[in-house]
Amino acid sequence: MSPYEIIATKRDGAELAPEAIGWFIDAFMKDEVRDYQMTAWLMAAYIRGLSDAETVALTQAYINSGKTVDLSSIPGIKVDKHSTGGVGDKVSIILAPLVASLGIPVPMISGRGLGHTGGTLDKLESIPGFQTQLDVPQFQELVSRHGLALIGQTAELVPADRRIYALRDVTATVDSIPLICASIMSKKIAEGIDALVLDVKYGNGAFIPPPEKAEVLARKMIQIGRASGKQVVALLTSMEQPLGRAVGNWLEIEECIDCFHGKGPNDLMEVTLALAAEMVVLAGKAGSAQAARDLCQQALSSGKAWDKFLEIVAAQGGDTEFLEHPRRYPRARFRAELKAGESGYVAAFQTREVGMASVELGAGRLRAEDPVDPQAGIRLHRKLGELVEKGQVVAELYTNRKETLPGALKRLEKAIHIDARPPKIPPLVLKRLA
Ligand code: URA
């Protein structure tokens, strides 16, 4: 097999044999296929697409590039949740301890923010001391002892995805359904789970905005999970506006604290409970989504979920003092307000642009190696359908880099539309797929 033939076959729209894909990824990991050859192939795959068989082969080749975790010695059905990425999406931080507090093992390996989206790891690392870069034995130990682990991708698991994602990120080949599918599912299958709940975002802040396409992505991921013997359920949820009111790392942790104490924003709680209930049903702890939701509500109101969160933060080296007393957390040095230029309803968000404004303030990264500022971000005072008077604050911006404020303010102003008529609010949970 030669890289040239493999690239040319995909360029011409023909289907590659699974062995050819397996060989290509393996040769890339041995540096026998060069970055420029891989990026040419990725672009061909992006334009021509991959068949289901090719997507399964790519997923398997990614998995074969590293180790897989064995959690079989830990009793119970191990369930994880994965989101395709959004703005203000802090669901994992509430949901994982909540589900684990019901005695369901949650081995969660999350990602960092990239582009306009935030990442669970960056949010967790805004808690001083919190360690996310743990190895596989430490991951297994946490799940065994605490029924929960919240870690980052390890060097041993699916190394091909890390290298290839970095290439996709700079060659405009991220938003391809089969490439996203293989990237996400390989990592989930390698982490040793039995079941998975997918939060597939649709809307203008999602990687794949059209709902019909998001559904295709969800169905493909379900099919790949099934082919590997995993139970998979997907919810299509809205990214037509940021989830909750906080965008940015510590600001989002503060919002999670509110959620644990029953004071979280409705949309965030709704998506969290819908996904958590699916996990509880998959784990066999409830016979229906409603019974599972009731269990989740009880775990929140009794404080069990909060206690589990404090337990895992302490176990991963985090300082729980700031969680107990969030006002003691140091604030960003600079702040600005976006005020409404006219009275009316908040009628639409360009959610991707809200994410980019937050990146500009320092909360996210444009390249994988960029540092993030834990204190930077945006607090939305108004969400879709809410009324605002001319001159009232629509959003607050926080940063430690004063020079970013004018640009971020301008971007945010353009991203939030006010209209005299109330908008039609898109469904938060559009569809359930299984
Ligand atoms: N998240 C991933 O892990 N991979 C993708 O390709 C896109 C989003």
Side-chain angles (χ1 to χ4, degrees):
M1 274 179 252
S2 81
Y4 185 95
E5 269 175 70
I6 289 174
I7 297 164
T9 304
K10 197 71 315 230
R11 177 200 64 196
D12 296 341
E15 187 175 32
L16 286 162
E19 303 76 48
I21 293 179
W23 178 85
F24 191 60
I25 301 297
D26 186 49
F28 173 68
M29 293 309 285
K30 291 178 182 153
D31 292 326
E32 290 162 11
V33 166
R34 304 291 172 162
D35 282 2
Y36 51 80
Q37 292 170 313
M38 179 54 77
T39 52
W41 184 82
L42 289 166
M43 187 55 84
Y46 181 97
I47 292 168
R48 293 293 192 171
L50 295 179
S51 69
D52 289 349
E54 286 176 313
T55 312
V56 169
L58 185 63
T59 309
Q60 196 53 52
Y62 276 2
I63 296 170
N64 294 346
S65 72
K67 289 189 188 157
T68 51
V69 184
D70 182 2
L71 297 175
S72 57
S73 62
I74 300 170
I77 297 174
K78 274 71 73 183
V79 195
D80 191 7
K81 187 273 313 182
H82 188 83
S83 149
T84 54
V87 179
D89 180 4
K90 68 268 306 164
V91 167
S92 291
I93 297 164
I94 312 153
L95 161 146
L98 162 59
V99 173
S101 78
L102 296 170
I104 299 164
V106 182
M108 187 174 271
I109 300 186
S110 305
R112 297 195 176 278
L114 253 185
H116 69 286
T117 66
T120 299
L121 295 184
D122 298 323
K123 296 168 200 187
L124 287 169
E125 285 175 356
S126 72
I127 303 169
F130 194 97
Q131 297 300 318
T132 60
Q133 293 319 113
L134 304 180
D135 60 19
V136 169
Q138 289 169 312
F139 176 64
Q140 286 163 318
E141 171 69 14
L142 282 171
V143 181
S144 164
R145 201 178 272 256
H146 302 282
L148 174 61
L150 298 168
I151 73 159
Q153 219 20 70
T154 76
E156 304 112 296
L157 298 184
V158 202
D161 176 64
R162 195 173 16 265
R163 278 187 61 189
I164 292 173
Y165 193 97
L167 295 177
R168 287 169 59 207
D169 194 37
V170 290
T171 56
T173 47
V174 168
D175 51 341
S176 144
I177 289 178
L179 296 180
I180 293 178
C181 192
S183 165
I184 291 179
M185 293 309 289
S186 57
K187 287 179 285 198
K188 294 291 117 182
I189 293 165
E191 76 184 19
I193 51 167
D194 303 304
L196 177 65
V197 175
L198 291 166
D199 181 7
V200 179
K201 302 292 187 191
Y202 79 93
N204 63 35
F207 274 116
I208 307 280
E212 328 70 71
K213 281 201 175 175
E215 183 168 342
V216 172
L217 172 63
R219 289 195 187 280
K220 259 196 188 253
M221 289 200 283
I222 291 173
Q223 189 195 341
I224 289 192
R226 292 254 170 83
S228 297
K230 315 290 176 202
Q231 302 182 71
V232 188
V233 170
L235 299 184
L236 292 194
T237 74
S238 171
M239 233 335 112
E240 286 287 350
Q241 63 175 330
L243 197 52
R245 290 181 185 269
V247 181
N249 302 302
W250 174 258
L251 295 176
E252 295 194 39
I253 294 287
E254 274 187 331
E255 193 164 67
C256 292
I257 298 171
D258 286 345
C259 292
F260 282 113
H261 297 321
K263 294 181 286 184
N266 291 341
D267 61 341
L268 174 58
M269 286 318 298
E270 181 51 36
V271 173
T272 303
L273 286 170
L275 292 162
E278 295 291 348
M279 292 172 80
V280 173
V281 172
L282 283 178
K285 295 272 182 186
S288 69
Q290 189 52 52
R293 252 181 117 97
D294 293 345
L295 284 176
C296 293
Q297 292 278 19
Q298 283 159 23
L300 283 167
S301 53
S302 66
K304 242 165 71 168
W306 171 243
D307 289 345
K308 183 54 85 177
F309 181 52
L310 295 180
E311 178 187 326
I312 196 62
V313 169
Q316 292 190 221
D319 185 346
T320 55
E321 188 202 324
F322 291 111
L323 302 178
E324 307 261 26
H325 306 284
R327 283 179 189 280
R328 293 187 190 160
Y329 197 86
R331 298 287 134 185
R333 279 183 297 139
F334 306 103
R335 193 183 80 93
E337 291 176 344
L338 173 67
K339 295 194 172 152
E342 58 197 313
S343 298
Y345 295 91
V346 173
F349 279 92
Q350 283 171 18
T351 313
R352 185 176 280 257
E353 284 300 295
V354 178
M356 289 314 295
S358 171
V359 170
E360 203 167 335
L361 293 165
R365 52 170 70 77
L366 291 173
R367 288 170 311 164
E369 59 276 19
D370 290 345
V372 297
D373 178 350
Q375 298 156 332
I378 296 166
R379 202 190 298 278
L380 296 171
H381 286 225
R382 293 290 189 281
K383 299 252 312 187
L384 277 186
E386 293 177 356
L387 271 170
V388 63
E389 298 284 325
K390 183 175 175 177
Q392 280 183 333
V393 177
V394 180
E396 280 171 283
L397 295 81
Y398 299 91
T399 185
N400 285 305
R401 297 206 322 257
K402 195 175 183 182
E403 69 280 9
T404 64
L405 279 173
L409 257 172
K410 199 174 280 177
R411 206 187 261 271
L412 198 58
E413 189 175 6
K414 283 201 202 139
I416 306 176
H417 303 280
I418 297 174
D419 198 283
R421 281 166 307 170
K424 197 165 170 280
I425 302 199
L428 203 48
V429 180
L430 181 66
K431 233 179 201 176
R432 176 182 185 275
L433 302 162

